Amino acid sequence: MDLLQHSTWRYVAEVLPPAELPLLAAHALVDGHDSPALRELAGLPRRSDETEIRELYVQALDELGIRLPDEETAGRRLLVSLAVGLANAELSPKEVVDRLSMTVAARTPEETQFLSIAADYSEWMSADELPGWEHGLRSAAHSLTVSTELGSGIGMPGSRRDCLRFPRA
């Protein structure tokens, strides 16, 4: 999946900080995308006004004919990306819970199970309960990653030119 396309669901799911968008725009230009708003966005400093950054990002997508996904699709992609990160040992179970930053609508049994187990986490879990919960979440993550078509091109932080990190909780 193209880096700019990939950014759209992360933007809607609010896991792509506005300060990262100018660098994303610069990478998109290098990758062959071009529009007036994309060039302007690429030239902004990271500490620019967030409203201006967001407006230029949305305008650049519009100029390039790239649509933002609806919140449900973005949330489902977030859920799958977290499952992929857990299944690939790039995230811990606790990091998965911390990064569920929006209300996610589950549409499949695998999404429902993963979300349900993640929601069962409590900081007051006993030391005896935690390993069982972690194992259940990892199993649900594996089931979700092998059952979904939403995962293609999702990727996780650490991939090529990854300027699109998850925010730390």
Side-chain angles (χ1 to χ4, degrees):
M1 178 181 276
D2 173 89
L3 188 63
L4 199 53
Q5 285 279 356
H6 176 75
S7 73
T8 60
W9 70 264
R10 295 175 54 102
Y11 176 80
V12 173
E14 298 180 358
V15 295
L16 177 57
E20 300 293 330
L21 294 174
L23 182 57
L24 169 76
H27 285 298
L29 287 168
V30 169
D31 287 345
H33 296 285
D34 193 16
S35 82
L38 190 66
R39 280 183 255 128
E40 188 175 346
L41 178 59
L44 289 179
R46 290 179 57 131
R47 290 187 168 75
S48 296
D49 177 65
E50 284 190 10
T51 302
E52 180 183 12
I53 290 173
R54 289 177 189 276
E55 287 173 358
L56 281 172
Y57 174 74
V58 171
Q59 182 180 344
L61 292 177
D62 186 56
E63 290 172 358
L64 294 167
I66 299 172
R67 297 185 52 187
L68 286 170
D70 58 60
E71 286 186 13
E72 179 183 331
T73 301
R76 291 180 67 220
R77 287 193 181 273
L78 171 62
L79 193 62
V80 170
S81 75
L82 294 173
V84 167
L86 183 59
N88 291 340
E90 296 166 342
L91 294 174
S92 72
K94 177 72 168 76
E95 287 174 313
V96 168
V97 171
D98 290 344
R99 293 177 181 184
L100 277 171
S101 61
M102 64 184 292
T103 302
V104 178
R107 294 184 110 200
T108 69
E110 294 83 8
E111 290 172 357
T112 301
Q113 174 145 10
F114 182 74
L115 195 55
S116 175
I117 293 171
D120 284 343
Y121 175 77
S122 167
E123 61 186 63
W124 295 284
M125 281 182 154
S126 72
D128 293 340
E129 295 172 304
L130 199 55
W133 173 79
E134 289 178 345
H135 175 73
L137 190 62
R138 282 189 174 94
S139 294
H142 176 73
S143 294
L144 177 54
T145 60
V146 299
S147 71
T148 188
E149 294 177 14
L150 287 175
S152 64
I154 287 224
M156 282 300 300
S159 61
R160 173 175 88 84
R161 289 188 328 222
D162 184 35
C163 61
L164 310 173
R165 294 174 296 278
F166 281 102
R168 293 285 173 202

